Amino acid sequence: MFTARQTAFLALCLALPVVVRPVDAEPRPDPAALRDMDPWSFFTALRDAEPHTTAAVDRFTLREDAASFQLSSGALTLVAVGEAVVGAVFEGEGLFTLEAPSPVERWQLQRVYDSPSADLRIEGAFFLLGPEVLSELRSALDFGPPEPGPDFGDLRDDGVKFLRHEDSGTVDSEAARALLNAEDPAFFHAHLEVDGEAPHYFRHTALAGEEVVLGREADGRGDYYEVVSTFHRAADYPVPDPRAGPRHPTEILQYEIESWISRGLDFRARARAFVSSSQSGGEWVPFYLSPELVLDSLKWGDGAAVDFRREDESAQFWVRLPSNPAFLEMTAWYRGRTVRYRDLWYWMDEPTGWYPRTGRTDATFDMTFHTDPSHQFLGSGTRTEHAVGEDVVTSRWVVDQPESQVSFSLGQFKEHTLESPGIPPLRVHMNDEFHGRLSDAYIGLQERGVVEAVAADLASALSFFQDVYGPLDVDEFNAAEIPGGHGQAFPGLIHLSYATFITTGADDKKGQNESFRAHEVAHQWWGFSVEPRSHRDRWLSEGLAEFSGLWYMQVARFNPETYLEALEESRERILDRRGRAGPISLGSRVTVGGRDEDYATVVYDKGAWVVHMLRNLLMDMDTMDETAFRDVMREVAGRFKNQRISTPEFRALVEAKLGGLDLGWFFDQWVHGSDIPTYRWAWRGEEVADGYKLTLRVRQEEVPEGFKMVVPVTVDFGVDGAATVKVMVAGPETVVDLPLLPREPDEVIFNDFESVLAEVRREGW
């Protein structure tokens, strides 16, 4: 079935000449006139690029993987930077179509465009072209003297502003790498002016984690895109490699950082980075550093100055590699502000922006900090040295397993230290002055011993998670209070909201303090020791941490009712977004279209529900023995320790641990799908010769016909005990006779222990 927009173009498109890129096409590049340009110079020049040659376009189609550009009429003008042709401007009309190869992405397109495909009527476009695509266009079209139309300049300028961001001083790193470094000869980028909608972009590049991307102008961000849909090349489906990811040909493997923080919070640092690169000499590499920090100098290990470029107040700087750059040593000197003070609080604008980074790569860290004695300090990793002088405190912190990020905490805190057998020593920093003033203003709000209670909670969570997930590879563990309402975890260090320091668990009837604190502790396993492989796998960090926090709260309170009540509350949030929020495996892209609240609801709440359902699926409901679930989780944590994990890898390991049990249906429904069932259930019974026959009927609604789930049903005989039967509910209606009972039960409980994320309604037979 064609959409209205597809039908309008169908007759025309059947006759269009088509250019499809051959897999082994030989590029015919233009003169390499870009070698001496840095990224900012290139995009500045691109903004002023001159028309090179023009071709008339009449019913012409260009296909890029799962996308097609049906250019019905107009003109295509190539543009050049210096002597190098790098792009084109299309002035005319056409249709852009994207057919996503995966169900998750088709769902996303349906939500955004009311169609399982994107069909956009375009009114002009700006293209950036690698040499392969440029060669194909020259072969397919007849280019002559430049004859740009009246919209040439506007289309070029509108396209470039999304690649060179004036407000932040950053440039598009993939485009720069592809065109300046020639890392991807098949690079293709299109900025599309769309009839009646915001500008869109399409990109096909080997440099991205998923090679095909469709985006559109983000609301309120006039020169930024938001990603609507992204996927691997269509030929990779139905089973793309779960280990595929973005190319990081240059990585930092090890840091040696020495920094000084004065009493007035002036910050300066020297960061020595050991870099591995498979790139060629002369190519550009993007790095990132907080725009609040001035980069004074960069030098290679031999003392030679590094050729680098940075715009004022930019978080991005580019380094030009020297000859033979396989293994490099690079030292950066920088200064500025990374910690601020206001109203008794110290805080960091960018907790990981205080050292140079490149891409999403893992490194070890050896960090030395010189701080004023009036400040207390906590760092990531293990403190190996600590010297207190009259004017300075020097501490050394080591992270000896590769990690993606580190941070620290600085302030005027009360420190509480706790040592307990079986767990690393624990230090907790609390802003005692703030809480003292708060207690004076609100009598009775601040409880005594709150820092001790927080420390005891963290210690208990560490002990519990080491028991169920395996030992933690840190020699100490630290926590610091922050003024925000959130928490954030780093290796061996967590930042905790001031709210969790206001009261102990005594006044927290819902267990939110325990679950919140334990969530951040759990990130030492789910997020650092085991990292999600891509944005699609974020639930394996946040969802697992959220479940872990609830699990710990259940154990700490020895109260399953509080645990189930927390799940019920999150279920209401999830049901409130039923039919509108996307699948878990969209990751951060569930927020497309301004739906920011969906990230917490889907990735955190529903992610935790998925783990809870897996727990109950594997549990012996009669004995409440969850050994199988614990074995699975410990196996995952051990097998992927200090590695990245994808959802397919997680599923495969669970299945293998369970003897090859196929759980594809479970992950397809709950991780890659967005449907949530409504169960309308009823039962009836009758006395029979040997006991009591109970028949259960379940009507399943709001889900596809093939949706199925194992649902526990408990028959309760009061003082005579209870028994639980697991029933497979599938299709619109399930009618099943339970095993013969000794007598009529006092109560029948459907979906006991909140085992399935569902809306449950009792009805008459």
Side-chain angles (χ1 to χ4, degrees):
M1 181 69 66
F2 293 101
T3 67
R5 284 182 287 184
Q6 287 175 309
T7 303
F9 273 76
L10 182 60
L12 174 65
C13 296
L14 291 174
L16 298 181
V18 177
V19 173
V20 181
R21 180 180 304 160
V23 174
D24 299 320
E26 288 294 329
R28 294 188 295 167
D30 279 65
L34 307 177
R35 177 63 66 178
D36 294 331
M37 280 191 165
D38 65 70
W40 283 282
S41 298
F42 169 72
F43 285 108
T44 299
L46 184 62
R47 189 173 52 201
D48 301 322
E50 295 295 328
H52 183 270
T53 49
T54 300
V57 174
D58 181 21
R59 296 185 300 173
F60 172 74
T61 296
L62 174 66
R63 287 184 180 158
E64 284 287 326
D65 196 75
S68 67
F69 296 83
Q70 302 162 8
L71 309 182
S72 55
S73 63
L76 188 71
T77 300
L78 301 180
V79 298
V81 172
E83 297 180 358
V85 175
V86 294
V89 170
F90 171 66
E91 298 174 84
E93 296 181 349
L95 179 71
F96 168 83
T97 300
L98 180 74
E99 303 279 352
S102 75
V104 171
E105 295 305 318
R106 288 194 289 272
W107 188 99
Q108 178 79 325
L109 294 177
Q110 179 72 48
R111 184 182 74 157
V112 175
Y113 302 111
D114 295 324
S115 167
S117 64
D119 308 296
L120 306 173
R121 191 183 297 274
I122 59 177
E123 300 177 320
F126 172 76
F127 302 107
L128 276 183
L129 310 170
E132 286 186 5
V133 191
L134 178 61
S135 177
E136 292 156 13
L137 288 177
R138 284 176 158 165
S139 297
L141 297 173
D142 184 15
F143 286 92
E147 297 181 9
D151 297 327
F152 173 87
D154 289 341
L155 289 168
R156 177 200 59 198
D157 294 349
D158 287 345
V160 173
K161 80 173 184 178
F162 282 84
L163 303 169
R164 190 190 195 286
H165 307 298
E166 296 295 338
D167 59 342
S168 67
T170 60
V171 298
D172 188 293
S173 60
E174 287 176 2
R177 288 171 57 194
L179 297 174
L180 296 184
N181 297 343
E183 291 183 57
D184 181 12
F187 180 81
F188 178 86
H189 170 91
H191 174 86
L192 307 173
E193 297 295 335
V194 180
D195 181 19
E197 297 192 33
H200 279 59
Y201 87 104
F202 170 83
R203 180 170 293 181
H204 183 197
T205 176
L207 302 179
E210 294 181 329
E211 298 89 345
V212 181
V213 184
L214 174 68
R216 65 183 181 184
E217 182 180 4
D219 289 343
R221 300 290 300 275
D223 59 348
Y224 280 86
Y225 299 114
E226 65 175 1
V227 174
V228 173
S229 181
T230 180
F231 44 86
H232 292 292
R233 293 187 175 100
D236 295 334
Y237 290 84
V239 188
D241 185 352
R243 297 164 297 177
R247 286 172 48 186
H248 294 300
T250 297
E251 298 180 303
I252 297 177
L253 304 180
Q254 180 181 348
Y255 286 94
E256 292 178 3
I257 305 174
E258 186 170 17
S259 61
W260 294 260
I261 308 175
S262 73
R263 185 183 185 91
L265 301 181
D266 292 323
F267 178 87
R268 59 188 176 93
R270 179 182 65 239
R272 187 181 180 204
F274 296 87
V275 182
S276 171
S277 180
S278 61
Q279 293 182 240
S280 301
E283 294 186 351
W284 292 95
V285 179
F287 287 78
Y288 302 89
L289 184 68
S290 169
E292 300 296 325
L293 297 172
V294 176
L295 187 56
D296 288 322
S297 70
L298 281 173
K299 289 187 178 180
W300 298 119
D302 61 2
V306 174
D307 184 7
F308 75 95
R309 301 289 187 276
R310 189 188 198 192
E311 293 282 276
D312 290 341
E313 300 182 353
S314 174
Q316 187 184 66
F317 67 94
W318 288 77
V319 167
R320 194 167 195 174
L321 295 176
S323 58
N324 302 319
F327 294 99
L328 302 168
E329 177 187 327
M330 184 180 75
T331 301
W333 285 262
Y334 52 99
R335 57 188 165 80
R337 284 294 177 109
T338 190
V339 179
R340 299 185 182 278
Y341 175 83
R342 188 177 65 205
D343 299 334
L344 303 180
W345 283 107
Y346 296 77
W347 79 96
M348 303 176 72
D349 290 324
E350 297 183 72
T352 60
W354 61 277
Y355 60 95
R357 294 164 293 126
T358 179
R360 183 171 173 258
T361 61
D362 295 334
T364 59
F365 294 81
D366 189 333
M367 302 168 289
T368 300
F369 296 89
H370 305 283
T371 58
D372 188 85
S374 66
H375 296 140
Q376 286 73 48
F377 183 90
L378 292 175
S380 291
T382 300
R383 188 173 69 181
T384 61
E385 298 177 17
H386 184 67
V388 180
E390 182 177 348
D391 299 320
V392 67
V393 177
T394 297
S395 59
R396 182 183 177 196
W397 302 76
V398 175
V399 177
D400 56 10
Q401 293 292 336
E403 299 287 0
S404 59
Q405 60 183 16
V406 293
S407 191
F408 62 83
S409 170
L410 179 107
Q412 293 176 337
F413 295 114
K414 173 184 177 181
E415 180 173 296
H416 178 75
T417 302
L418 187 153
E419 294 191 12
S420 181
I423 65 169
L426 172 66
R427 279 193 294 271
V428 180
H429 281 182
M430 186 181 83
N431 188 336
D432 203 39
E433 184 178 2
F434 167 78
H435 288 286
R437 293 193 185 182
L438 193 67
S439 181
D440 291 341
Y442 302 95
I443 303 300
L445 179 61
Q446 174 65 29
E447 293 186 1
R448 293 181 180 179
V450 67
V451 68
E452 291 82 3
V454 171
D457 223 12
L458 298 178
S460 296
L462 279 169
S463 179
F464 175 68
F465 294 144
Q466 286 199 144
D467 179 53
V468 294
Y469 298 142
L472 185 63
D473 280 343
V474 298
D475 294 326
E476 63 180 64
F477 190 76
N478 300 304
E481 187 180 14
I482 60 172
H486 65 287
Q488 191 168 2
F490 309 94
L493 170 70
I494 58 175
H495 291 170
L496 291 175
S497 167
Y498 73 94
T500 201
F501 285 84
I502 290 177
T503 60
T504 64
D507 289 335
D508 180 11
K509 305 303 183 186
K510 296 182 179 181
Q512 293 173 333
N513 273 321
E514 287 98 329
S515 60
F516 168 73
R517 298 163 189 163
H519 173 114
E520 300 305 333
V521 174
H523 274 310
Q524 302 301 311
W525 285 265
W526 312 114
F528 292 115
S529 178
V530 180
E531 291 190 55
R533 192 173 289 280
S534 76
H535 74 282
R536 295 187 183 278
D537 311 306
R538 288 297 302 167
W539 75 281
L540 292 173
S541 172
E542 298 299 352
L544 271 167
E546 186 72 4
F547 165 79
S548 298
L550 295 174
W551 193 13
Y552 166 74
M553 179 262 288
Q554 175 193 355
V555 172
R557 295 204 164 202
F558 201 66
N559 183 357
E561 291 304 317
T562 308
Y563 168 82
L564 294 176
E565 287 168 5
L567 284 170
E568 290 169 5
E569 286 192 6
S570 67
R571 178 186 62 199
E572 294 310 307
R573 293 191 293 269
I574 297 167
L575 288 174
D576 184 60
R577 298 295 299 157
R578 178 162 62 174
R580 294 175 290 169
I584 288 174
S585 57
L586 282 176
S588 59
R589 290 187 296 116
V590 298
T591 65
V592 165
R595 297 174 167 125
D596 293 342
E597 73 280 4
D598 281 354
Y599 184 70
T601 303
V602 173
V603 176
Y604 284 66
D605 290 341
K606 191 180 177 188
W609 261 97
V610 168
V611 186
H612 164 74
M613 288 191 289
L614 186 62
R615 177 193 186 189
N616 284 13
L617 187 66
L618 302 181
M619 185 183 294
D620 184 324
M621 290 293 182
D622 287 325
T623 64
M624 302 307 290
D625 182 1
E626 56 183 16
T627 300
F629 174 73
R630 289 189 177 218
D631 287 349
V632 162
M633 298 309 297
R634 195 176 180 92
E635 179 77 9
V636 173
R639 168 65 181 79
F640 284 91
K641 189 173 186 176
N642 300 319
Q643 297 182 54
R644 290 194 167 97
I645 187 172
S646 68
T647 299
E649 290 169 313
F650 176 77
R651 171 193 158 189
L653 192 56
V654 172
E655 291 177 333
K657 188 65 178 175
L658 298 176
L661 178 69
D662 182 9
L663 291 175
W665 60 272
F666 179 89
F667 285 87
D668 286 345
Q669 291 175 176
W670 296 111
V671 178
H672 307 305
S674 61
D675 299 300
I676 300 170
T678 291
Y679 294 134
R680 299 182 183 274
W681 71 284
W683 70 275
R684 67 181 180 186
E686 59 178 327
E687 300 284 351
V688 294
D690 297 326
Y692 189 84
K693 177 183 176 183
L694 190 151
T695 303
L696 179 76
R697 184 188 69 206
V698 184
R699 294 190 173 115
Q700 183 173 242
E701 302 171 351
E702 309 286 345
V703 291
E705 187 170 336
F707 196 98
K708 64 180 181 180
M709 192 60 190
V710 176
V711 184
V713 180
T714 297
V715 287
D716 188 351
F717 297 102
V719 295
D720 295 325
T724 302
V725 179
K726 291 184 176 180
V727 175
M728 176 65 80
V729 175
E733 183 173 282
T734 298
V735 179
V736 60
D737 292 332
L738 299 190
L740 199 62
L741 305 177
R743 65 172 175 83
E744 181 179 355
D746 296 353
E747 185 181 10
V748 178
I749 305 169
F750 180 80
N751 194 28
D752 202 6
F753 310 110
E754 299 292 341
S755 294
V756 181
L757 173 59
E759 184 177 5
V760 178
R761 297 179 180 178
R762 177 80 180 270
E763 64 180 8
W765 191 274

